[in-house]
Amino acid sequence: MSKFTTKTLTWLRWLSLLLALTLLAAINLLPMPAPGEVMSLQLAFTPDAFRSIHSQWTADQRQAFANHFPLDFLFIAAYALSGYLWAGSRLFASLPTALVTLARWALPLAGVLDVGENVLEMYLLKKLPDLPATVVMLAATCAALKWALTGVFALLFLRIVLA
């Protein structure tokens, strides 16, 4: 790999990470419900659970959640790219090849699932109070798989750091 390409990839890694962290901070500046409440909504597998969690939020929290999606889509792109680039760096070279491949694709796949979850949640917010059970379950499944893949990436990173 040429020196230019190596420098460019290094800058892209850091830039994508900085962008992801900046977007995450921007989302957290919104008057959103507590992160645990948002995760509970994401993992609500039934219409009753989804409605129950959403109904406990203030009007400002509901509006902030509904309005956060544009920033979240940018955040998804940034974290997916960042994970892909960092997993391809020398940092992950100590892992076996199969685990490097898993690390490289964990966050991009999580991002695809996150986009699916967001699209479904945006649809569900328009369908309150008559939520289609299949769509609620599909959104929660996307969220659960997204969090599982994010956890895989985190565990692989911890394996490197703690080795």
Side-chain angles (χ1 to χ4, degrees), residues 23-148:
L23 288 164
L24 182 61
I27 290 168
N28 283 308
L29 289 175
L30 298 172
M32 295 275 284
E37 294 174 16
V38 172
M39 186 175 278
S40 293
L41 184 81
Q42 291 174 355
L43 299 173
F45 280 87
T46 67
D48 287 343
F50 190 96
R51 257 190 309 275
S52 173
I53 294 161
H54 188 263
S55 69
Q56 293 175 31
W57 296 349
T58 67
D60 285 345
Q61 289 173 324
R62 287 185 197 139
Q63 193 60 52
F65 182 75
N67 291 340
H68 94 285
F69 290 109
L71 279 177
D72 199 34
F73 284 119
L74 293 172
F75 171 64
I76 292 165
Y79 81 68
L81 177 61
S82 184
Y84 181 82
L85 293 173
W86 278 103
S89 73
R90 280 186 250 139
L91 179 67
F92 282 74
S94 64
L95 292 175
T97 304
L99 293 182
V100 170
T101 301
L102 179 59
R104 190 136 203 197
W105 289 103
L107 290 183
L109 290 173
V112 169
L113 290 162
D114 204 352
V115 166
E117 171 200 341
N118 280 358
V119 169
L120 293 169
E121 286 174 353
M122 290 166 62
Y123 173 80
L124 290 170
L125 291 176
K126 292 180 181 183
K127 290 294 181 184
L128 287 168
D130 298 319
L131 298 171
T134 305
V135 178
V136 173
M137 188 170 51
L138 185 56
T141 301
C142 285
L145 292 172
K146 167 194 77 175
W147 285 114

Side-chain angles (χ1 to χ4, degrees), residues 140-158:
T141 301
C142 285
L145 292 172
K146 167 194 77 175
W147 285 114
L149 286 166
T150 302
V152 165
F153 185 88
L155 288 173
L156 291 171
F157 180 75
L158 282 174

